[in-house]
């Protein structure tokens, strides 16, 4: 058996057994204990989380973390995965126990030399830019775990210069334009809200509030389900060609966007009552590239906001 094959089978075996001795592995693979010790050292350098215990009942064990078996990637697949990982560098906080640099280094070093050379040549030729996250957020993992396990948590949340204590049940977390967001059910408001994660100052488990059933709500379907019983309005917006291009870059789906042959377009969609303020601010940023034709409530809100801005410049 070649060394490479033995190392691959070692990874799968230690992942399966979790606890073992050098003698057991030496006997299983028909090699000396010294050879197995060298192999274990190499596995450790590759990132396999091994822990050794001395004494008559000692041995090796894998820490509480499952090791993935070797996966064969094509050259193009490996390059695609590397640059997907590389794009994470814009976020200084991730909801996992490891940082992207550790993942990237481990993946990169285990590629063949010619694939690494190709990646080195491509790094200055292709990139995926996004807004760099500015604030470090220590609570992302807790928010994600609460969403998965349907737990209620307490937050110290800062907004408008004030800190309030909120009891929420997260739906999930997502990153957009350099910020992390957590849509959740807010027990204080008895409604769904989106919380900016950089404004969360403290998180702890809420042992008093009983969770509600959010198993059918996720990041992909939350708008449809959450707004189902709320008052809605028919959104009707005309977009210039430049407006269409700007709308395509929005962080939500573009299914409601209709594009004409000349490149202009229009939006037909339903929005809830509590989204009026958001869409007013959003479409004001389009300037003349967007014309809101309905609902009347949204048009009135836009007019009021523009009038408030205008009064700031009246002598």
């Amino acid at each position: 058996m070649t060394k490479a094959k033995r190392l691959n089978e070692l990874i799968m075996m230690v992942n399966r057994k979790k606890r073992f001795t050098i003698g057991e592995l030496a006997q299983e693979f028909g090699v000396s204990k010294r050879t197995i010790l060298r192999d274990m050292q190499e596995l450790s350098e590759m990132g396999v989380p091994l822990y050794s215990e001395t004494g008559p009942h000692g041995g090796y064990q894998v820490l509480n973390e499952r090791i993935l078996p070797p996966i064969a990637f094509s050259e193009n697949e490996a390059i695609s995965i590397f640059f997907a990982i590389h794009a994470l560098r814009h976020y200084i906080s991730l909801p996992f126990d490891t940082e992207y640099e550790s993942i990237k280094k481990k993946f990169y070093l285990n590629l063949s030399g010619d694939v690494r050379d190709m990646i080195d040549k491509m790094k200055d030729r292709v990139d995926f830019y996004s807004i760099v996250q500015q604030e470090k957020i220590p609570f992302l993992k807790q928010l994600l775990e609460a969403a998965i396990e349907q737990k209620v948590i307490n937050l110290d949340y800062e907004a408008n210069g004030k800190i309030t204590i909120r009891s929420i049940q997260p739906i999930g977390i997502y990153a957009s334009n350099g910020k992390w967001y957590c849509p959740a059910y807010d027990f204080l408001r008895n409604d769904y809200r989106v919380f900016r994660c950089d404004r969360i100052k403290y998180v702890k488990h809420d042992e008093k509030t009983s969770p509600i059933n959010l198993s059918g709500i996720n990041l992909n379907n939350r708008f449809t389900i959450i707004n189902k019983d709320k008052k809605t309005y028919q959104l009707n917006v005309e977009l210039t060609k430049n407006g269409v291009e700007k709308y395509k870059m929005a962080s939500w789906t573009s299914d409601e966007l209709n594009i004409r042959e000349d490149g202009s377009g229009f939006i037909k969609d339903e929005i809830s009552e509590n989204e009026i303020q958001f869409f007013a601010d959003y479409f004001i940023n389009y300037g003349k590239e967007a014309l809101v034709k309905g609902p009347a409530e949204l048009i009135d809100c836009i007019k009021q906001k523009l009038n408030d801005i205008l009064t700031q410049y009246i002598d």
Side-chain angles (χ1 to χ4, degrees), residues 168-181:
I168 72 166
Q169 185 173 336
I171 294 171
I173 56 175
Y174 64 91
S176 176
N177 295 324
K179 300 287 185 183
W180 281 96
Y181 298 88

Side-chain angles (χ1 to χ4, degrees), residues 69-121:
I71 303 173
F73 294 109
S74 69
E75 179 177 325
N76 286 331
E77 287 172 336
I79 292 172
S80 298
I81 292 171
F82 174 86
F83 280 100
I85 298 171
H86 186 56
L88 292 176
R89 73 190 189 281
H90 299 295
Y91 289 89
I92 61 176
S93 296
L94 295 172
F96 314 110
D97 285 329
T98 186
E99 299 297 330
Y100 92 93
E101 276 292 351
S102 172
I103 306 170
K104 187 176 74 169
K105 182 178 179 182
K106 185 182 298 184
F107 184 77
Y108 177 81
L109 292 178
N110 280 278
L111 296 174
S112 62
D114 58 333
V115 176
R116 289 202 302 268
D117 290 342
M118 178 61 70
I119 288 174
D120 290 340
K121 292 176 181 177

